Amino acid sequence: FTGWYQARTEELPIQARAVFDALALNWDPMTAATLGLATGLDTPIVSSQLTRLEKAGYVEPVALSKRGKGRSGYQVSERFFNIWYLMRNGPRRARQSILFLTKFLQSCFSPAERRSHAISMLESGQPDQTIAAHDDVLARQGAATDPALRERVAKALEEKAFLLREGGRLEASESAYRDAIKWDSSVSRFHLGLGNLLLDFTGEINSALATFQRGLETVTNQRDRVLLHAYMAHAIALHGGDRLAARTHANSALEDDSGLSPAGRRLLEALPIWSERSEPDWSSVFERIGKALTSDDPALWTNYSDDLQRILWFVLANGQGDNLKRWMADAQFQNQYAPLYHAFVAALEGEDHLLRINPETRQPAQAIYAGIVRRLKLWPTQKGSKKPSVRRREPDLAGQP
């Protein structure tokens, strides 16, 4: 594309090229006023050039507020053109930002996950038909004894519950997970899926803990038991349970070297359970979050993204958001881990923040932001917040190791 993009750039008149250059090198959307400061041109001249560039297909207006109030911003309309321009003409820091984002996306989405996302997008227009297909598998093979067929049934049960959850049909998803556990209580994924649904979507903490505990009572695979211990530690520690119980579960997970990858271990170590202080040691929490990120462990995004989002919720719910934002900025995480950084800032300052960053970063940031905000809606504050309702009576396991 170089010849084409170079020709398109060189055919611009001098003032239009100055405006386009400033906009492309900034990467994030800009207003006419900020472009005027960057180019030294008067704002009316910049506005006139933006109109011409928009008509020629070089730039496009974008809203900088969900409510549509305030000034609009502008960005290069063809995003690959913008990336090419930055890589060819941008300063070293701008080129590094693109490389960091590329590495983030590579680690965030494994080949298997990319395939899963593609299938999910293909199915998104017809979720009911997909669920019906899973029901058909269950009806025909639900009594199967052959291991290969039983694995297919397990996958159908799990995918049905997941699709229902993603579609907001939480009670139906819960019912599907419980059916899966009745079908085979030794499959840890069923317990983990139901526990996550109860913990992070419906806010039923005791029911989630009871689910993880039942998993520990029925699952025999040691690696799966490690994950259940880890989930128990996170749920107890971050929701005001007994710290000794949380520490016991965390140690059970950490003492098996084969169970957790480096990022998972660092996030367990970030839990506020390792000292006898009544208040968390926030510097230690921040440091462990940083170590999880810099471990370059791709499993952070594929296996432990929920754990990370829970800890970020915990930081915000305890009023430490500004402190973590400064810590991340000092560590240059806004460049190296831009989607995570901007997702956290948006959760702290408001969703409009995501509209002020480039769409390449915004898209992965939105998924992380949604996970943090969902938890903030369930529990706006960690201390003194209204306890979520529990539909069923479950034993309180927060004090049991």
Side-chain angles (χ1 to χ4, degrees), residues 285-308:
V285 172
F286 298 168
E287 178 187 346
R288 295 299 178 178
I289 292 173
K291 286 189 174 182
L293 292 171
T294 57
S295 66
D296 291 328
D297 180 2
L300 172 62
W301 309 106
T302 55
N303 297 344
Y304 305 108
S305 60
D306 279 333
D307 294 347
L308 176 59

